[in-house]
Amino acid sequence: MELNGVADLPEIRPGDDIAALVADRAALEPGDVLTVASTIVSKAEGRTADLKDYPVSGRAREIADRLESVAGEEKDPRFAQAIIEESSELLIDCPFLLAETRFGHICPNAGIDRSNVPDHDLLLLPKRPTESAERIRSGLAERGLEDVAVVVTDTCGRPFRHGQTGVAIGWAGMPASRDWRGERDRDGHELGVTVQSVVDELAAAANLVTGEGDGGTPAVVVRDWDFGTHEGSDELFRSVDDDLVRQALRTWRVDG
């Protein structure tokens, strides 16, 4: 498997055609997977905002005051309001905000970025990242670049571990996971639970090339990777009924 960054992409502006920009700079082939950082997808879709755009509700002020008392530093209630408006649920509101986005991804601060956003205060995640991936894939197909899968990525921390890794938040042209259940391991034992989240694994691999900071490359081409003949599924985000951690977090509170 090879991973190559798409070089020389310009600063993305609202309305920019990511498919066209990538097609002009990368020799894509059938079977490739194009990973695209959510930051440039959001910029192309005009998902920027300013703190002044968020009138503060009572809940946002209460959250900011509580965070302030715990952290010992000033917290802007307008940022808390932005997170509330981008979320379908706040699972934790102290000592940080852990939110479920409206498309099902669970992450701190509803994935709102306060960096990499010139001329504005905030960069929001794409509203519907899988639809964003589908549009990019269709744009590539219109340019004769058929059979290229697209994964929209973000970076996110993980429970029980330090550090962030790349994750998929939208995808098109491939299943989210491949199902090994019913197949055999090397000792002939039948696999009963293994469902491999391949879009997350590709996102994490691509993030090694994408990098962070001002030297980042927001699009990566993955080549010579094969999904295989496995069954596939687009179930990536757990349902509430199936998520014991989320159920526990709903009742957990920080004292003070």
Side-chain angles (χ1 to χ4, degrees):
M1 183 173 80
E2 297 181 5
L3 296 97
N4 294 285
V6 179
D8 300 323
L9 285 169
E11 177 66 34
I12 302 299
R13 303 292 181 186
D16 280 352
D17 186 336
I18 292 175
L21 292 170
V22 169
D24 287 344
R25 292 165 174 81
L28 293 166
E29 298 178 0
D32 286 348
V33 179
L34 173 67
T35 71
V36 184
S38 62
T39 50
I40 66 169
V41 176
S42 292
K43 288 177 180 179
E45 295 178 355
R47 292 282 287 159
T48 54
D50 293 305
L51 289 169
K52 64 180 177 57
D53 299 333
Y54 295 96
V56 176
S57 65
R59 188 184 185 198
R61 192 169 300 281
E62 179 184 340
I63 288 171
D65 289 346
R66 190 161 185 235
L67 290 172
E68 215 170 278
S69 67
V70 170
E73 59 184 34
E74 186 176 356
K75 298 294 181 179
D76 194 329
R78 298 173 298 175
F79 186 55
Q81 185 64 41
I83 296 168
I84 290 170
E85 294 188 18
E86 288 297 308
S87 305
S88 59
E89 181 180 6
L90 288 183
L91 299 174
I92 297 177
D93 59 15
C94 189
F96 66 96
L97 297 181
L98 183 67
E100 180 185 12
T101 67
R102 298 191 181 279
F103 58 87
H105 179 47
I106 294 176
C107 56
N109 298 336
I112 298 175
D113 200 343
R114 301 182 82 166
S115 59
N116 301 310
V117 53
D119 306 323
H120 294 280
D121 297 325
L122 308 175
L123 185 64
L124 315 177
L125 287 177
K127 277 190 175 182
R128 289 174 285 276
T130 289
E131 292 183 13
S132 302
E134 289 168 348
R135 281 193 294 272
I136 295 171
R137 186 168 188 260
S138 295
L140 294 172
E142 290 171 1
R143 291 164 177 80
L145 300 170
E146 305 279 353
D147 194 26
V148 175
V150 176
V151 178
V152 177
T153 70
D154 194 24
T155 52
C156 194
R158 302 149 301 156
F160 317 117
R161 292 176 180 265
H162 290 293
Q164 289 75 39
T165 186
V167 297
I169 60 172
W171 58 95
M174 62 177 294
S177 61
R178 57 184 175 190
D179 193 340
W180 292 83
R181 291 174 295 182
E183 300 190 33
R184 301 281 174 176
D185 67 13
R186 291 183 177 182
D187 297 317
H189 299 128
E190 183 174 322
L191 300 174
V193 297
T194 304
V195 178
Q196 183 182 15
S197 178
V198 291
V199 288
D200 279 339
E201 291 184 325
L202 290 170
N207 199 56
L208 294 172
V209 178
T210 300
E212 304 287 348
D214 61 3
T217 302
V220 172
V221 178
V222 182
R223 182 161 295 162
D224 294 332
W225 176 81
D226 183 21
F227 185 87
T229 58
H230 310 271
E231 294 293 325
S233 169
D234 278 331
E235 291 185 0
L236 182 64
F237 305 118
R238 287 186 182 274
S239 67
V240 175
D241 293 340
D242 189 39
D243 194 335
L244 299 178
V245 175
R246 192 190 323 194
Q247 293 173 32
L249 286 175
R250 284 177 163 177
T251 63
W252 181 79
R253 292 292 180 271
V254 172
D255 295 332

